[in-house]
Amino acid sequence: MLLGIAMDYLGVNPVKALFWTAIINGLLAPFLLVGILIAASDRKLMRNQPSSWLSRIVVGITILAMFGAAIAMFVL
């Protein structure tokens, strides 16, 4: 709440702040997915119930697509 009040007094445009927050979230999300994929694939951590190979493939494709989109955002 204090951060929101400070942004108001500093004259930060809330729409631009939301836009840049979404970009930052989009750039960080693939790294979070990599961590989730590693944790979900670990048999010991998941108590002998790791994620299936199909879900790992789908998450891997999603990670590649998100990394590709992030790179394309800066290159194109």
Side-chain angles (χ1 to χ4, degrees), residues 3-76:
L3 182 62
I5 293 170
M7 288 173 60
D8 184 41
Y9 281 115
L10 292 173
V12 175
N13 184 347
V15 175
K16 284 186 180 181
L18 286 172
F19 174 78
W20 286 107
T21 302
I23 290 196
I24 292 168
N25 285 335
L27 292 174
L28 294 178
F31 296 104
L32 180 62
L33 280 175
V34 168
I36 291 170
L37 182 63
I38 291 169
S41 299
D42 187 1
R43 186 170 293 279
K44 184 179 177 185
L45 182 66
M46 297 300 290
R47 297 183 182 177
N48 289 327
Q49 293 182 342
S51 61
S52 68
W53 62 270
L54 180 61
S55 67
R56 284 183 260 183
I57 290 172
V58 170
V59 172
I61 292 169
T62 303
I63 291 170
L64 291 175
M66 290 180 78
F67 273 125
I71 292 168
M73 181 176 68
F74 290 110
V75 173
L76 299 177

